[in-house]
Amino acid sequence: SAVISQKPSRDICQRGTSLTIQCQVDSQVTMMFWYRQQPGQSLTLIATANQGSEATYESGFVIDKFPISRPNLTFSTLTVSNMSPEDSSIYLCSADRSNYGYTFGSGTRLTVV
Amino acid sequence: DAKTTQPPSMDCAEGRAANLPCNHSTISGNEYVYWYRQIHSQGPQYIIHGLKNNETNEMASLIITEDRKSSTLILPHATLRDTAVYYCIVRAVGIKAAGNKLTFGGGTRVLVKP
């Protein structure tokens, strides 16, 4: 299956700042996704990153807070903007490998202080 | 996508088979059953998926009932490294409107004990 590199693996950020998370896939994929996992919780889908068009956001997530870029078929970024302590979570990207399921990155553990 | 119901937790003995149940009574005809697991501090890992036939790979077996309203993931010889949260997900494949997205429920926290 595809290998996904995600960075940074962790960061501690000041409130009010922004952090951009990068996700690199080792092969071209049609669809990439960004998830959030709050402490002790399951994964929640933030948005689908579409190549060549705007990302599709799930209910409760907005572009101004979580802008996403997808410049090509192997790369995507998620920015967490104007951070507050409530944004402290693990953020994961994943790629759709069609019938063989999704592959996930190892996640970015974000702490906002 | 249809919802799934899993027990929140279960313990298994090392070396024994672990049988993880999942109910998906509202599954549609074009929805597959997927299983993922998440080991602590890692991203979810794909295990297996199926439509209506039983499936087996090097990691596990998937048994789907004839009416497709439930399934069981079987880890044939559980090891301590199988301790993880296991997610059962139903997902439509090949339908653009659904976005092919994976929706995670609460999962089953499996603890393999020596």
Side-chain angles (χ1 to χ4, degrees):
Chain A
S1 60
V3 173
I4 296 183
S5 300
Q6 190 175 334
K7 57 182 179 181
S9 60
R10 60 178 63 232
D11 208 341
I12 300 173
C13 300
Q14 296 292 322
R15 67 181 67 199
T17 63
S18 298
L19 175 71
T20 296
I21 303 167
Q22 299 180 4
C23 183
Q24 178 75 53
V25 189
D26 68 348
S27 61
Q28 293 185 344
V29 292
T30 304
M31 305 184 79
M32 295 180 71
F33 302 85
W34 287 96
Y35 287 84
R36 180 176 73 182
Q37 187 170 29
Q38 294 177 303
Q41 303 295 312
S42 182
L43 285 78
T44 300
L45 181 64
I46 297 172
T48 301
N50 305 306
Q51 198 272 327
S53 64
E54 278 197 0
T56 305
Y57 289 83
E58 297 297 306
S59 175
F61 297 95
V62 296
I63 188 171
D64 289 346
K65 177 66 175 177
F66 298 102
I68 288 171
S69 76
R70 181 84 196 274
N72 56 52
L73 291 175
T74 64
F75 187 78
S76 179
T77 67
L78 169 76
T79 299
V80 186
S81 302
N82 189 24
M83 288 183 285
S84 67
E86 292 71 35
D87 295 319
S88 297
S89 291
I90 299 172
Y91 293 85
L92 299 112
C93 70
S94 70
D96 183 6
R97 295 285 289 168
S98 299
N99 289 339
Y100 295 97
Y102 286 23
T103 302
F104 285 80
S106 55
T108 296
R109 186 178 297 271
L110 171 62
T111 302
V112 183
V113 297
Chain B
D1 289 342
K3 290 186 177 180
T4 62
T5 304
Q6 298 177 253
S9 64
M10 63 185 297
D11 292 346
C12 304
E14 186 181 20
R16 305 292 296 270
N19 297 297
L20 282 61
C22 179
N23 287 321
H24 31 78
S25 59
T26 60
I27 192 170
S28 301
N30 63 347
E31 288 180 319
Y32 285 69
V33 180
Y34 282 78
W35 283 84
Y36 286 77
R37 73 179 183 183
Q38 187 175 25
I39 296 171
H40 183 62
S41 297
Q42 298 182 21
Q45 176 190 23
Y46 166 82
I47 301 173
I48 198 168
H49 75 286
L51 183 62
K52 55 183 178 181
N53 296 322
N54 298 337
E55 302 287 345
T56 296
N57 62 22
E58 65 278 4
M59 290 183 68
S61 295
L62 174 60
I63 308 298
I64 303 174
T65 58
E66 192 169 344
D67 63 8
R68 302 208 323 123
K69 293 185 176 182
S70 65
S71 61
T72 301
L73 179 75
I74 301 173
L75 307 177
H77 304 287
T79 71
L80 299 180
R81 287 192 297 264
D82 292 322
T83 292
V85 179
Y86 287 76
Y87 295 99
C88 169
I89 301 168
V90 293
R91 170 188 170 229
V93 176
I95 296 179
K96 275 196 166 182
N100 289 323
K101 56 190 178 184
L102 280 178
T103 302
F104 286 79
T108 296
R109 189 172 298 273
V110 174
L111 175 62
V112 180
K113 296 182 174 180

